Amino acid sequence: MSHLANDLDMARRWLADAAHVAVLTGAGVSAESGVPTFRDALTGLWAHFRPEELATEDAFRRDPARVWDWYQHRRRMLRDVLPNAGHRALAAFQQRHPGRLTLVTQNVDGLHQRAGSEGVLCLHGDLFADRWLDAARACCRLDAAAAGSPPHCGGCGNLVRPGVVWFGEALPVAALEAAERAAHACDVMLVAGTSGQVYPAAGLAHLARRAGAQVVIVNPGPTELDDTAHLVLAGTSARLLPELLG
Ligand code: APR
């Protein structure tokens, strides 16, 4: 048996015995669906921007039309892509084993939900959600926002912004707390398709390890979390997640 086959076998046994599995995913799980990562999406018209010029509240206040158009561009790019075998394996495991798997994602592309995963904890928001830039007043109604780039409140001028977590913004508290509870309570923590560089998301793997879980990484390349893991499975998520969870 090859080294990888041995490790896969061991991880499969841990998963079979686990009362509770927590999964943390990142941009890599969507790579095989053809979703460009944030940086890879900066091509064509957008090639000369840095992420901080597009994905911060300051940038939006400075030039709302430019930042809104960038998010509309990303929304359009995502409309044509489909969940891949990795997304589907996670959703199928959850359906076969109700209540045993908590899925935490840093992705804003909605592909886990489209594959059928339930209760996905979206730490960095949702690219397809809209919300108000400033606190909503009585006149602010998202379903009645005046068209524009960005849409706005016809009453007070409040602007609609995408429901993603921008650089420098706090993560949604309820999702983060639920993710921390899952990391603390799980027997196996599966970390797939993330470089493990961005906190507090990456901290969930450390939390799970300290709490006694087996930590398993699925990634074709090295990650910042490799030293925290009990097993590092080198391969893509569309290939390995079905093998692990099937
Ligand atoms: N399967 C699994 N992993 C893959 C695949 C694949 N097919 N292809 C690439 N990867 C891995 C890369 O090796 C890398 O480790 O996916 C990881 C992607 O890393 P990042 O681009 O840093 O993405 P992520 O970890 O999700 O970034 C976290 O940072 O940019 C911000 O808010 C954004 O949510 C994002 C956060």
Side-chain angles (χ1 to χ4, degrees), residues 9 38 52 55 63 66-67 113 121 127-128 130-132 147 151 162 168 170-171 182 185 194 198 202 210 226 242:
D9 212 43
F38 187 87
E52 309 76 54
D63 195 340
R66 175 202 281 169
V67 174
Q113 296 89 325
L121 299 172
L127 186 68
F128 293 95
D130 286 334
R131 62 184 181 84
W132 294 108
L171 273 60
T194 178
V198 174
R210 280 199 305 276
D226 288 358

Side-chain angles (χ1 to χ4, degrees), residues 104-124:
V104 184
T105 189
Q106 299 164 87
N107 298 344
V108 296
D109 57 28
L111 289 178
H112 284 305
Q113 296 89 325
R114 280 171 59 196
S117 283
E118 302 278 348
V120 184
L121 299 172
C122 296
L123 296 183
H124 295 167

Side-chain angles (χ1 to χ4, degrees), residues 11 13-23 100 102 182-183 185-191 208 212-216:
R13 264 184 279 128
W14 289 346
L15 286 162
D17 291 344
H20 189 208
V21 178
V23 182
R100 260 178 78 195
T102 304
C186 69
D187 305 294
V188 177
M189 162 67 98
L190 195 53
V191 180
Q214 307 283 359
V215 178
V216 178

Side-chain angles (χ1 to χ4, degrees), residues 3-238:
H3 188 55
L4 176 63
N6 257 327
D7 285 353
L8 267 169
D9 212 43
M10 186 178 299
R12 282 178 62 89
R13 264 184 279 128
W14 289 346
L15 286 162
D17 291 344
H20 189 208
V21 178
V23 182
L24 172 67
T25 66
V29 297
S30 295
E32 286 151 290
S33 291
V35 178
T37 61
F38 187 87
R39 275 161 215 284
D40 290 344
L42 293 169
T43 56
L45 278 179
W46 302 100
H48 55 288
F49 291 108
R50 286 175 295 121
E52 309 76 54
E53 291 175 282
L54 294 168
T56 65
E57 185 183 324
D58 271 359
F60 188 78
R61 288 189 187 279
R62 248 194 328 270
D63 195 340
R66 175 202 281 169
V67 174
W68 180 259
D69 287 350
W70 155 249
Y71 281 94
Q72 291 298 86
H73 167 70
R74 291 185 66 204
R75 286 172 173 179
R76 274 194 301 275
M77 288 199 306
L78 275 173
R79 258 181 222 131
D80 299 328
V81 306
L82 293 171
N84 64 52
H87 299 108
R88 290 197 300 272
L90 288 164
F93 183 92
Q94 205 183 30
Q95 273 148 26
R96 281 199 313 279
H97 305 282
R100 260 178 78 195
L101 185 144
T102 304
L103 178 51
V104 184
T105 189
Q106 299 164 87
N107 298 344
V108 296
D109 57 28
L111 289 178
H112 284 305
Q113 296 89 325
R114 280 171 59 196
S117 283
E118 302 278 348
V120 184
L121 299 172
C122 296
L123 296 183
H124 295 167
D126 174 356
L127 186 68
F128 293 95
D130 286 334
R131 62 184 181 84
W132 294 108
L133 177 62
D134 293 313
R137 302 173 185 87
C139 53
C140 299
R141 285 194 26 227
L142 279 174
D143 56 356
S149 186
H152 56 277
C153 173
C156 68
N158 200 357
L159 300 179
V160 174
R161 57 159 283 182
V164 298
V165 176
W166 279 330
F167 291 105
E169 290 186 323
L171 273 60
V173 175
L176 181 59
E177 285 179 357
E180 285 169 348
R181 279 196 299 277
H184 195 264
C186 69
D187 305 294
V188 177
M189 162 67 98
L190 195 53
V191 180
T194 178
S195 58
Q197 291 173 8
V198 174
Y199 284 76
L204 296 169
H206 299 292
L207 175 58
R209 167 102 203 197
R210 280 199 305 276
Q214 307 283 359
V215 178
V216 178
I217 290 184
V218 171
N219 199 305
T223 81
E224 300 280 316
L225 294 170
D226 288 358
D227 290 342
T228 302
H230 297 87
L231 277 181
V232 178
L233 303 174
T236 73
S237 50

